[in-house]
Amino acid sequence: MSMDFGFDVISAKEYERQRVLYEPLTAAIRNLIDAGIHTDVDEATAREAQAAVEAVTELLAGKRRTVTTTLRHEDTGRPLAWANPAVGLRNAIAPPMVIHHEDDGRAWSDFSLSGAYEGPPGWVHGGICALVLDHILGEAASDGLTKPKFTGTITLRYLRGTPLGPLRAEAYIDRVEGVKTFARGFLRDADGTTVEAEGVFIQPVWARDAG
Amino acid sequence: MSMDFGFDVISAKEYERQRVLYEPLTAAIRNLIDAGIHTDVDEATAREAQAAVEAVTELLAGKRRTVTTTLRHEDTGRPLAWANPAVGLRNAIAPPMVIHHEDDGRAWSDFSLSGAYEGPPGWVHGGICALVLDHILGEAASDGLTKPKFTGTITLRYLRGTPLGPLRAEAYIDRVEGVKTFARGFLRDADGTTVEAEGVFIQPVWARDAG
């Protein structure tokens, strides 16, 4: 396992403390995003809501940490990726996906997409399918983000519409050729696969000597 | 122009009223997402913020509209897509991209991606690049979403990392073969192209008779 990113390691206890601290706050912001999309309040109420949101933002911005993406869990060695727009525990944009890693290298996630991810009425935006598939393929290709890998190419094949609601994303490494890792995966609902993906992930030049 | 979606048409005046009503609220929620990612407040402050967010959510949810995705602007005939996670004026998940359509069919957007879209430290998440490119190719392929088209396949080629900050996405129709529209596009920063995309967009069966 390559640990040469210059990440800080966080203890399991500190991880848990921060998770309990921030997860419900992020969940509350996620609900607010949804309420903002669907609200039909009048102008006075909208302005009142806006002022309240601005006040909370000021409260939270009062103490700010510079970086949240460079912490690693002491047990798993995995980056916490708390700011990540697919999996970030602290990013209300993320569904969030919780990623599971199997011993055979498969990565999978069961998650649910709300109306905030809607493209055509009732269906997940095709680009959101691409986001979650790029992420899960990257997780498989990089052994849970422990090995630096960047997306080289990714191809998505949309077999049918992906409905809003509960979904599974899954990915595995198909083969490795030098600095290129070929990953495959899919997105599916209760009735089967909706989108297939294949991607080539590339080890950056700066990480190649580290092996 | 196919208008057989069953969309409601909204007047230019009503569009403007709703835009002024909701755009600043959504912008405020966007800032809150960012503050939530980076805050380092203590537990008491986090709980206070959470309670305040929950109160605003309740306020906004007090009056809720069923659907926001089926309104069309009376002048352009284009769906407003206010809930859309790429362009939605009312969706705080969206950057948002503002899409411009040229007479020659090109679609383009200048927009900026904040730290909320970060994957590797300093770089845009590859899946977010995929989201914005899927969307802009879809805009070009569907003549500004006026013609029903679903993504069939899309391939993204990442030439280099895409930095956070100001970006341009652009797309055009390469060719049309029956129900398949082939679109191409790119994402670029000030130094040139970072990601190339090509996609096949397909007219759904239910829309084929409408021509």
Side-chain angles (χ1 to χ4, degrees), chain A residues 21 36-40 43 47 60 63 65 85 90-91 116 118 125 127 134-135 151-156 158, chain B residues 21 36-40 47 60 63 65 85 90-91 116 118 125 127 134-135 151-156 158:
Chain A
L21 184 54
I37 293 170
H38 296 286
T39 191
D40 199 22
E43 176 145 22
R47 289 295 90 86
L60 291 175
K63 201 175 172 202
R65 63 180 77 205
R90 297 189 52 182
N91 189 338
E118 188 180 62
H125 190 296
D134 172 82
H135 191 87
T151 316
T153 63
I154 187 166
T155 297
L156 303 145
Y158 295 79
Chain B
L21 184 53
I37 293 170
H38 296 286
T39 191
D40 198 21
R47 290 294 89 87
L60 292 175
K63 200 174 172 204
R65 64 180 77 206
R90 296 189 53 181
N91 189 337
E118 187 180 63
H125 190 295
D134 172 82
H135 191 88
T151 316
T153 63
I154 187 167
T155 297
L156 303 145
Y158 295 79

Side-chain angles (χ1 to χ4, degrees), chain A residues 40-43, chain B residues 11-22 65 82:
Chain A
D40 199 22
V41 295
D42 62 21
E43 176 145 22
Chain B
S11 72
K13 191 178 166 190
E14 175 61 14
Y15 170 86
E16 193 55 20
R17 189 192 71 81
Q18 291 195 29
R19 188 188 66 73
V20 168
L21 184 53
Y22 297 119
R65 64 180 77 206
W82 277 350

